[in-house]
Amino acid sequence: PYFSENQNSFRYEAALSGLAAETLPFQLVIWGSDFVKRPFNSSAFQNGRLDTVIDELSRPLPKEREVALWKEYQKILHEEQPRSFLYYYDELEGFNKRIRNSDVNLISTLYNVYDWSVKP
């Protein structure tokens, strides 16, 4: 509990930790200047323009506008570099062909495991 407590209170000069499940919706809750609404912003990064982009991306948009905003989002993070990402590991998931109804996606390998069945 001490690491999380210190990290969430910004009591550090540097921290090394892991971050997983960075799917697109989740990225919108990581960054943001309002630390109460954005509890995963442990690097205490604040950027007014990014806040505006996040707010706009949080509602339905025409695809062209959404793509433009995601590019701006990535540009801001690239230029400001609130975190240094050391590596990303790519997982390869495999299932026996007897498994039916599996829906592997970015959220979880076992996303809909309750719907799975095994063909005899």
Side-chain angles (χ1 to χ4, degrees), residues 78-90:
H78 173 75
E79 290 173 352
E80 298 289 327
Q81 194 180 352
R83 287 188 178 153
S84 293
F85 296 96
L86 302 177
Y87 66 91
Y88 174 81
Y89 65 94
D90 206 4

Side-chain angles (χ1 to χ4, degrees), residues 5-106:
E5 185 179 303
N6 287 331
Q7 185 176 10
N8 293 340
S9 300
F10 312 113
R11 291 185 290 212
Y12 56 85
E13 294 294 322
L16 179 63
S17 65
L19 184 62
E22 283 219 31
T23 59
L24 290 179
F26 184 68
Q27 287 189 24
L28 296 178
V29 300
I30 293 174
W31 311 111
S33 299
D34 183 342
F35 302 143
V36 173
K37 287 172 56 179
R38 308 287 189 233
F40 297 104
N41 186 359
S42 58
S43 59
F45 177 63
Q46 294 179 302
N47 181 296
R49 179 60 193 147
L50 186 63
D51 293 339
T52 302
V53 169
I54 289 169
D55 287 343
E56 197 170 341
L57 280 169
S58 298
R59 53 184 192 263
L61 296 166
K63 192 66 173 172
E64 187 176 297
R65 179 68 180 149
E66 182 181 4
V67 168
L69 286 168
W70 277 114
K71 287 180 180 180
E72 184 174 359
Y73 176 97
Q74 291 297 322
K75 184 176 185 212
I76 292 167
L77 292 178
H78 173 75
E79 290 173 352
E80 298 289 327
Q81 194 180 352
R83 287 188 178 153
S84 293
F85 296 96
L86 302 177
Y87 66 91
Y88 174 81
Y89 65 94
D90 206 4
E91 291 183 18
L92 178 63
E93 306 293 347
F95 296 92
N96 188 297
K97 54 184 158 184
R98 292 178 50 217
I99 303 281
R100 299 289 183 240
N101 301 320
S102 63
D103 180 18
V104 179
N105 61 45
L106 290 173

